[in-house]
């Protein structure tokens, strides 16, 4: 039986008579958990937030009918697992469904254009005391005169600290290196003097 006790300072302990924080949970094992249940069928429909104290994990578990999944795991290392219970990297995404998208990036601003409102993945890195943008991948509307359904993908790198587009895949699938308007399947433009 777990004890519920309020002590001086307004701290509450569940399973402990000496809570260290405003609310402290302590179990006889290493996995204290908070459970949320569906009143009509609490056996088959519930969710848990579980602290795996021994392994240094915080796990979010969902039990729906006969299936139990752990969609989110936070580790003491700062690693985050989505769909992965064994987390190997800072962000680890895992899916057991063949052909399923593992990551979706969406912009719902309604201003999807070439020069603004695009989707972007930005890569930054610190060297010495300075953090700079080092590269980016951009997906934008396929030109100002393009259809709302057209898109391009641009790849950027830095020279010094300036990001510039180096390669583009157009809405038609043409690849441009040194040009953002490739006119053939592979269109390479060399800067004058090079």
């Amino acid at each position: 039986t777990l004890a519920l006790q309020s002590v001086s300072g307004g701290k509450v302990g569940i399973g402990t008579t000496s809570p260290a924080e405003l609310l402290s949970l302590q179990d006889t094992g290493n996995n204290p958990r908070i459970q949320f249940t569906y009143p009509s069928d609490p056996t088959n429909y519930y969710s848990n937030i579980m602290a795996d104290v021994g392994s240094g994990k915080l796990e979010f578990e969902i039990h729906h009918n006969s299936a139990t999944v752990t969609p989110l795991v936070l580790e003491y290392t700062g690693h985050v697992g989505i769909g992965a219970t064994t987390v190997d990297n800072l962000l680890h995404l895992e899916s057991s469904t063949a052909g399923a998208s593992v990551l979706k990036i969406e912009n719902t601003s309604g201003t999807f254009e070439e020069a603004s409102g695009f989707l972007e993945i930005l890569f930054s890195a610190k060297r010495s005391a300075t953090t700079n943008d080092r590269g980016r991948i951009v997906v934008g509307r396929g030109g100002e005169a393009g259809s709302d359904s057209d898109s391009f993908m641009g790849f950027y790198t830095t020279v010094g600290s300036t990001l510039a587009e180096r390669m583009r895949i157009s809405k038609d699938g043409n690849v441009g290196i040194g040009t953002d308007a490739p006119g053939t399947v592979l269109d390479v433009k060399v800067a004058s003097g090079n």
Side-chain angles (χ1 to χ4, degrees), residues 105 135 151 172 175:
I105 300 173
S151 66
D172 304 308
V175 176

Side-chain angles (χ1 to χ4, degrees), residues 112 140-142 146-152 171:
F112 184 59
R141 187 169 175 238
S147 161
D148 284 344
S149 300
D150 294 343
S151 66
F152 74 91
K171 61 180 181 175

Side-chain angles (χ1 to χ4, degrees), residues 134-158:
R134 308 293 183 170
R136 67 196 286 224
I137 301 172
V138 169
V139 176
R141 187 169 175 238
E144 294 294 338
S147 161
D148 284 344
S149 300
D150 294 343
S151 66
F152 74 91
M153 181 175 284
F155 298 84
Y156 292 66
T157 61
T158 58

Side-chain angles (χ1 to χ4, degrees), residues 18-78:
S18 55
E21 304 296 339
L22 191 61
L23 175 62
S24 293
L25 306 179
Q26 186 171 307
D27 197 359
T28 53
N30 286 329
N31 306 114
R33 66 186 66 201
I34 300 172
Q35 187 169 89
F36 305 88
T37 59
Y38 178 52
S40 300
D41 191 355
T43 303
N44 290 310
Y45 299 94
Y46 60 85
S47 297
N48 295 324
I49 300 175
M50 182 181 72
D52 186 342
V53 179
S55 299
K57 294 181 181 180
L58 187 64
E59 300 181 352
F60 294 76
E61 180 184 86
I62 298 173
H63 185 88
H64 185 270
N65 203 0
S66 58
T68 301
V69 295
T70 306
L72 180 64
V73 175
L74 309 176
E75 292 194 340
Y76 76 95
T77 56

Side-chain angles (χ1 to χ4, degrees), residues 39-193:
S40 300
D41 191 355
T43 303
N44 290 310
Y45 299 94
Y46 60 85
S47 297
N48 295 324
I49 300 175
M50 182 181 72
D52 186 342
V53 179
S55 299
K57 294 181 181 180
L58 187 64
E59 300 181 352
F60 294 76
E61 180 184 86
I62 298 173
H63 185 88
H64 185 270
N65 203 0
S66 58
T68 301
V69 295
T70 306
L72 180 64
V73 175
L74 309 176
E75 292 194 340
Y76 76 95
T77 56
H79 292 181
V80 176
I82 299 177
T85 53
T86 301
V87 184
D88 299 323
N89 300 95
L90 190 60
L91 176 61
H92 185 156
L93 309 178
E94 182 177 303
S95 173
S96 60
T97 304
S101 297
V102 178
L103 176 65
K104 181 177 181 179
I105 300 173
E106 184 173 355
N107 182 336
T108 59
S109 67
T111 57
F112 184 59
E113 299 291 350
E114 180 180 27
S116 65
F118 44 72
L119 302 170
E120 176 181 36
I121 300 174
L122 185 63
F123 302 86
S124 295
K126 183 175 183 179
R127 181 170 172 80
S128 299
T130 305
T131 300
N132 294 104
D133 297 337
R134 308 293 183 170
R136 67 196 286 224
I137 301 172
V138 169
V139 176
R141 187 169 175 238
E144 294 294 338
S147 161
D148 284 344
S149 300
D150 294 343
S151 66
F152 74 91
M153 181 175 284
F155 298 84
Y156 292 66
T157 61
T158 58
V159 172
S161 58
T162 302
L163 274 169
E165 184 175 344
R166 310 299 179 188
M167 184 175 76
R168 176 175 291 210
I169 303 173
S170 73
K171 61 180 181 175
D172 304 308
N174 293 341
V175 176
I177 299 175
T179 175
D180 60 7
T184 58
V185 174
L186 179 60
D187 194 345
V188 180
K189 292 288 191 300
V190 179
S192 61

